[in-house]
Amino acid sequence: MYIFLKDKSLIMISILIFTLSMVLGISLVLSVGNDGSIPGMDESNAYIKREGLSGAWFFFTQNLKVALMLISGILVFGITTIPILLINGFWLGSVLGSQYISGKSILDLFLAIVPHGIFEIPALLLAGYLGLVGLKFYFYETNWKRLFSVLALLIIMLMVAALIEGFLTPKYI
C-alpha cells in the first residue's frame, strides 16, 4: 500500500484517528453496559437482511458514499475528513461493543467483520488519506497519477469488500 502513498504521515494520521475513535466507541459501550441493543437496528433497518448481488450493490454504494465524503477533504484542507473518520471509527467500535455485550463471542464478531473488513477498512483509510492530502494539496506539487492510482485501488477494494459482504458475511451473521 505504501508504494502508492507519497506522504506516509497522512495515512498514519488516518489510521490513528480511526483506531482511537473505534477504541473509544468500544470503551464507552462496554463501560455503560447496556443490553447490547442498538437503537434503529431492527428488522426494518436497511442493513439487515442484505444478501446476494443486490446486497453487494447496496454495501458498495454505501461505502462509496463514505469514501467520497472522506475524499472531499482534499478540497477543504482535510477539515471534513477528520470528523468522518472519527464518526466511522466510533460507530464500528460501538457496534462491536454492543454486539459483544449482547452475547456474541469474539469469534462471531471476527467472522462477521474480518472477511469483508480486511478490504473495506483499508479502502476507507485510503480515502481518509486522500482527504488529508488536502492539508498539503495547495502548497506542494501534486502527483495526479499517484492520487488516481490510490483512488482506483480503493474502488477495487470496496468492490471486493461489497461482494464478500453480500455473499459471504451473511452466512456468519
Side-chain angles (χ1 to χ4, degrees), residues 119-133:
F119 296 100
E120 182 180 320
I121 294 170
L124 294 176
L125 292 173
L126 281 176
Y129 162 80
L130 288 175
L132 291 174
V133 166

Side-chain angles (χ1 to χ4, degrees), residues 16 22 27 38 56 63 90-91 98 102 110 115 125 134 139 151 155 160 172:
L16 185 66
M22 185 175 73
S27 300
I38 303 170
N63 289 326
F90 186 82
W91 182 84
S98 294
S102 71
F110 183 84
L125 292 173
F139 308 109
L151 181 62
I155 289 171
V160 171
Y172 296 107

Side-chain angles (χ1 to χ4, degrees), residues 43-87:
E43 293 301 317
S44 66
N45 189 285
Y47 288 93
I48 305 294
K49 305 286 185 203
R50 294 287 182 168
E51 296 181 28
L53 196 54
S54 65
W57 178 252
F58 172 80
F59 291 120
F60 175 72
T61 57
Q62 294 300 312
N63 289 326
L64 186 61
K65 290 175 192 175
V66 173
L68 291 173
M69 287 189 288
L70 286 164
I71 293 168
S72 72
I74 200 170
L75 303 174
V76 290
F77 303 101
I79 293 171
T80 58
T81 301
I82 293 168
I84 295 168
L85 281 170
L86 286 168
I87 290 166

Side-chain angles (χ1 to χ4, degrees), residues 145-166:
K145 184 177 180 181
R146 178 176 285 127
L147 292 180
F148 282 111
S149 296
V150 173
L151 181 62
L153 176 63
L154 82 86
I155 289 171
I156 291 167
M157 291 172 76
L158 288 178
M159 284 182 198
V160 171
L163 289 170
I164 293 170
E165 194 169 6

